[in-house]
Amino acid sequence: MEYDDRAPPFLAGSAEVDASPMIAYLVIREGSKWTDVIRLVPEETVTIGRAPTNKIVIQDERCSRTHAEMFLAQGNWVIRDLDSRNGTIVADQRLNSDYMLQPGDIIRIGNSHLAYVHDLAQAFPDSSTLLRRAETMEGASSDVAIDMSDNESVLEVYEPTNITHRTGHSRFLDSAEQDPTLTTPKVGRAAAKLCRLAFELAKSTDLSSLSHLALDGLFEGTHADAGAVLLRKYSSVNKQDQQDVLDVIASRSDSSHSYHRVSQFLASTVLREGQAVLARNVMDDSQLGSRDSKGDILAASVICAPVRRDGRVLGVVHLYSTDAERSLDPDDLEFTLAVADTVAVAIENLSRRQELAENLDQVRDENVQLRERLGVQSELVGSSSMMMQVAQEIARAAPSRVTVLIRGESGVGKELVARAVHFSSPRRNGPFVCLNCAALSESLLESELFGHEKGAFTGATARKIGKFEAAHRGTLMLDEIGEMSSSIQAKFLRVLEGHPFERVGGSEAIHVNVRVIAATNRDLERDVADGRFRRDLYFRLHVLEIVVPALRKRPEDIPELADFFLQWFNAETGRKIRGFTPAAVRAMTSYRWPGNVRELKNVVERAVVLVRGNTIDVEDLTLTTLKTAGDTESSDPLRIKPGEYNPLSLADLERDHILATLNSTGWNKSRSASILGIERSTLDRKIRRYDLTDQRPR
């Protein structure tokens, strides 16, 4: 929006006005309208800028945070540019030094205009102008709203607030002794001491320092020369057992005798009634053992006040004076009770802070354990259609609580899929427990699953919680479920059906809420037919099935996985391997990977450790000649199914096998010869003999 830089009409002729320069105004224009009016006070320097701490704030990108300042010098208002980025312009000139303002001057800062004027009456001569004043301009602060008919805007004059006192520190928090020359009432001095003490108690970090601070404040505000803070001691078994047992948290004595504990009578009275008491001529309980003895007077006066919070008495504050000339009085009683209530609040706040700190430490430990347990393996790596299907099956299986059976060859990442199911399910906050059934004998497997009691067998020196109990409200993954013995299968099936179980050597029925995820690389159907796996357990496990494909069936994921492991081991070892050569990528893609993802991970790790250059080549990859095998798939590539026999000569069989090997290696003759177990020259002769050609599309 464009508008002229001339003064507004209401400023015309204002230069001739003989007004006192002590009273001046800035009229601010935003856009095309003149809006605010700021009164300039001689005693104050007016700063102008974009920062909210300025007297005049201008929301303009071309305005610096602290752009300019105005001040009164020798009876005239002067403006000074504060080394702003875009400068300050007055009378079409950029300021390089201080400028003495004249009525009618227009100050330009960015796109904002500020008009300097002495007299608002001369500035608004129009009869339609309406001035509404809360007070006169010469009086205290007033707000003036001005209705301008020419631009239909309202101007407000903001009078400055008259600040009378400033302080950065309260004298009520000073620990200095009271000036004896002051005539402050005792109640006022006690209130100041209580305020100061509450401030110090709030900063305490432990119960002992809090109690000592409270005693110091009590000795300062009363006539006591001995005392202590005592808190109730609760039993961890029954909170009613020892509720009247008091522990001395802190004690102090300024007399010639050490602190003497509060009498049982006074303590019981205060704990029972919850009121502070003042007593005179208290005798030593230790001298009251006989009827003839009246005992020795221990203290001239005693105060016992309850430390109470939310209707509970946490303990007592015990004070006494041994000097009869400085006896404790009712004012001391009230002050002690106020301190005791303040101590109760401080104790509660301290307890809450400690509880929050403990909870925070526990959460941090759980997060660390979770990160260690998941690590970078918490993501499924791979963008092939098969892996997308696996991800969809995980998403469908996670919300329910039914049993999941994960199948796949060894090393494909069945445990990783199980973790993904668990941490995508409503049980994500519960434990995830994994157990390999093939790694334990039958007796040890039963103990690991269901736990055992002390003395159940030789070596059972203590009770042990089984995996089922450890996974309560979480997920239990049983890897290699096909290796479980028949007797364990029967007990395991009963637990899956929701029945309770007993620990080995125990008789207590244990109920758990556990979701089971089973994994296997065996052909369970064949095991069921052969009688090695229970039929009813098979049907109980076979509710939701997720088949993880072998790595050779998804070769498009191999480069992505290899790069993922490369970055992982780069970060772990501190090396900076840039990547794989094209030949290495072709070799990994054409390789059959009998060990699946586990083998790929180990191959990349070895290459990162031993490679000498910045890239990994074919020579850096250690690939075996093992055949691919999986219990869930046929491990014999030449296995012939009934009805599919096709008679072939040995020469035709050799020709087809050599051609298939060459195609699988991308016609890498050296690798093909290594797989076939023959020399490179022998392979060349057979290629010529059978007239084999590379028929791959170019």
Side-chain angles (χ1 to χ4, degrees):
M1 179 180 295
E2 296 182 357
Y3 52 87
D4 57 38
D5 296 337
R6 294 173 296 174
F10 54 77
L11 298 180
S14 60
E16 289 83 8
V17 176
D18 186 14
S20 173
M22 299 293 288
I23 301 177
Y25 305 91
L26 280 180
V27 185
I28 304 175
R29 182 168 71 180
E30 295 179 356
S32 61
K33 297 182 179 181
W34 297 88
T35 56
D36 299 338
V37 175
I38 306 296
R39 183 181 179 182
L40 303 178
V41 180
E43 293 83 3
E44 295 184 3
T45 298
V46 179
T47 57
I48 307 171
R50 195 176 71 252
T53 55
N54 293 289
K55 175 70 175 179
I56 301 177
V57 180
I58 299 178
Q59 300 295 339
D60 191 331
E61 294 182 354
R62 300 183 61 189
C63 178
S64 300
R65 291 187 60 84
T66 305
H67 195 100
E69 65 177 0
M70 296 178 61
F71 54 90
L72 192 66
Q74 298 180 357
N76 294 287
W77 282 95
V78 177
I79 185 170
R80 174 185 297 167
D81 184 79
L82 299 178
D83 297 328
S84 61
R85 185 177 66 252
N86 296 309
T88 304
I89 299 176
V90 181
D92 296 330
Q93 294 183 357
R94 181 164 180 167
L95 298 184
N96 295 321
S97 59
D98 294 350
Y99 179 85
M100 185 177 299
L101 291 170
Q102 299 295 327
D105 281 341
I106 301 296
I107 304 170
R108 292 180 55 189
I109 297 178
N111 293 324
S112 301
H113 292 198
L114 296 85
Y116 175 77
V117 61
H118 283 174
D119 191 355
L120 285 178
Q122 294 292 331
F124 305 101
D126 193 351
S127 59
S128 63
T129 301
L130 177 62
L131 299 180
R132 297 195 301 273
R133 298 172 181 258
E135 299 179 14
T136 61
M137 300 297 280
E138 292 77 9
S141 62
S142 62
D143 296 335
V144 182
I146 305 169
D147 184 10
M148 298 173 53
S149 59
D150 56 347
N151 58 11
E152 299 180 354
S153 62
V154 177
L155 305 186
E156 295 183 357
V157 178
Y158 299 102
E159 294 290 343
T161 301
N162 187 19
I163 300 175
T164 60
H165 296 81
R166 292 179 180 270
T167 181
H169 179 72
S170 173
R171 61 186 177 86
F172 294 113
L173 300 180
D174 291 336
S175 59
E177 293 293 334
Q178 183 69 33
D179 189 349
T181 62
L182 297 179
T183 60
T184 306
K186 183 177 180 180
V187 175
R189 296 197 301 270
K193 292 176 181 178
L194 185 62
C195 174
R196 185 166 62 249
L197 179 60
F199 184 78
E200 295 296 330
L201 292 177
K203 299 187 295 183
S204 300
T205 58
D206 59 86
L207 199 58
S208 176
S209 61
L210 185 151
S211 301
H212 281 94
L213 281 173
L215 285 179
D216 293 342
L218 287 167
F219 275 55
E220 180 184 352
T222 66
H223 294 152
D225 54 22
V229 176
L230 304 93
L231 297 181
R232 270 178 167 169
K233 180 178 181 181
Y234 289 97
S235 170
S236 59
V237 179
N238 186 348
K239 290 189 176 182
Q240 302 301 323
D241 289 347
Q242 303 178 14
Q243 61 176 350
D244 289 338
V245 178
L246 296 174
D247 282 340
V248 178
I249 307 301
S251 63
R252 173 178 168 180
S253 177
D254 293 347
S255 64
S256 58
H257 302 285
S258 61
Y259 165 74
H260 192 281
R261 190 182 179 92
V262 62
S263 67
Q264 185 64 33
F265 171 75
L266 281 180
S268 300
T269 302
V270 173
L271 291 175
R272 181 178 63 255
E273 299 179 359
Q275 295 181 339
V277 297
L278 172 63
R280 305 288 186 185
N281 299 329
V282 177
M283 290 182 290
D284 189 353
D285 288 348
S286 63
Q287 303 296 327
L288 299 178
S290 63
R291 295 182 180 180
D292 297 335
S293 175
K294 295 182 180 180
D296 295 332
I297 295 179
L298 173 68
S301 54
V302 175
I303 287 178
C304 191
V307 180
R308 57 195 179 184
R309 184 64 179 166
D310 296 333
R312 296 184 302 114
V313 179
L314 308 178
V316 297
V317 173
H318 177 220
L319 299 177
Y320 61 87
S321 173
T322 58
D323 187 356
E325 297 180 358
R326 289 176 51 86
S327 299
L328 299 173
D329 55 29
D331 290 337
D332 294 334
L333 178 67
E334 291 192 13
F335 181 75
T336 304
L337 181 59
V339 172
D341 289 340
T342 306
V343 168
V345 176
I347 290 176
E348 183 181 24
N349 293 336
L350 179 61
S351 177
R352 289 180 178 177
R353 288 201 304 269
Q354 292 174 347
E355 182 179 356
L356 288 174
E358 292 174 358
N359 292 340
L360 181 59
D361 292 339
Q362 181 180 358
V363 171
R364 285 175 177 171
D365 292 341
E366 291 176 354
N367 288 338
V368 170
Q369 294 174 4
L370 184 59
R371 291 191 182 99
E372 291 177 351
R373 185 169 32 171
L374 291 178
V376 295
Q377 304 179 30
S378 58
E379 299 178 356
L380 294 176
V381 179
S383 56
S384 63
S385 58
M386 289 186 176
M387 289 305 298
M388 292 299 101
Q389 183 178 355
V390 171
Q392 293 173 4
E393 293 174 352
I394 291 174
R396 287 195 296 267
S400 65
R401 54 176 299 177
V402 299
T403 305
V404 179
L405 178 62
I406 303 176
R407 308 180 74 163
E409 295 182 8
S410 179
V412 294
K414 297 187 290 296
E415 182 179 347
L416 181 61
V417 174
R419 290 183 184 274
V421 172
H422 170 73
F423 289 104
S424 301
S425 70
R427 297 172 176 262
R428 66 176 65 91
N429 295 326
F432 178 82
V433 181
C434 184
L435 177 65
N436 191 331
C437 299
L440 301 171
S441 63
E442 179 179 345
S443 58
L444 289 179
L445 179 59
E446 183 179 9
S447 174
E448 284 292 325
L449 281 176
F450 309 111
H452 63 255
E453 297 289 349
K454 180 179 179 181
F457 50 84
T458 303
T461 57
R463 171 188 288 183
K464 179 178 180 181
I465 301 300
K467 300 300 184 184
F468 268 105
E469 290 183 76
H472 182 56
R473 300 187 183 277
T475 303
L476 173 62
M477 180 198 173
L478 298 177
D479 200 4
E480 307 294 348
I481 191 70
E483 305 296 333
M484 187 179 291
S485 64
S486 299
S487 60
I488 302 298
Q489 290 178 28
K491 192 172 182 179
F492 176 60
L493 175 61
R494 182 172 176 80
V495 178
L496 282 183
E497 296 291 348
H499 297 284
F501 63 91
E502 299 172 355
R503 301 189 188 97
V504 177
S507 58
E508 178 186 357
I510 301 172
H511 297 264
V512 292
N513 180 7
V514 175
R515 181 183 190 175
V516 174
I517 298 179
T520 183
N521 61 359
R522 296 180 62 89
D523 188 346
L524 291 183
E525 291 79 4
R526 182 184 299 175
D527 289 345
V528 171
D530 296 340
R532 290 193 297 268
F533 199 81
R534 292 179 62 97
R535 182 181 298 271
D536 48 2
L537 178 58
Y538 168 77
F539 288 118
R540 185 63 181 82
L541 294 175
H542 199 265
V543 180
L544 287 178
E545 183 180 78
I546 299 177
V547 179
V548 185
L551 185 57
R552 63 180 176 277
K553 293 185 177 181
R554 48 188 182 104
E556 57 269 33
D557 290 337
I558 294 176
E560 185 177 353
L561 281 166
D563 184 67
F564 173 80
F565 290 129
L566 175 62
Q567 301 304 325
W568 183 1
F569 291 120
N570 269 342
E572 189 175 273
T573 61
R575 303 207 60 180
K576 298 180 180 180
I577 310 301
R578 291 198 297 265
F580 300 88
T581 63
V585 174
R586 287 195 301 269
M588 290 189 295
T589 305
S590 60
Y591 182 58
R592 298 287 290 172
W593 296 108
N596 291 294
V597 181
R598 182 185 293 117
E599 181 185 5
L600 175 59
K601 175 185 174 182
N602 295 335
V603 168
V604 175
E605 182 178 14
R606 181 182 184 278
V608 170
V609 173
L610 299 181
V611 66
R612 296 184 178 180
N614 294 327
T615 56
I616 297 176
D617 204 351
V618 179
E619 291 77 11
D620 302 315
L621 302 175
T622 304
L623 305 178
T624 68
T625 58
L626 295 175
K627 303 296 183 182
T628 58
D631 293 331
T632 58
E633 300 179 0
S634 175
S635 60
D636 186 0
L638 299 179
R639 184 174 181 178
I640 300 173
K641 298 181 181 180
E644 296 182 359
Y645 174 67
N646 184 21
L648 290 175
S649 65
L650 291 177
D652 291 338
L653 185 62
E654 183 182 44
R655 178 186 181 279
D656 293 343
H657 184 60
I658 292 175
L659 181 60
T661 304
L662 287 169
N663 289 334
S664 67
T665 61
W667 276 76
N668 186 325
K669 296 181 180 180
S670 298
R671 185 160 300 280
S672 298
S674 176
I675 294 174
L676 294 171
I678 59 177
E679 297 292 335
R680 168 68 182 271
S681 57
T682 304
L683 178 60
D684 290 334
R685 290 197 301 271
K686 291 183 180 293
I687 291 175
R688 290 192 298 270
R689 178 192 305 171
Y690 296 125
D691 194 19
L692 301 178
T693 58
D694 186 0
Q695 298 179 355
R696 294 177 301 165
R698 300 296 183 182

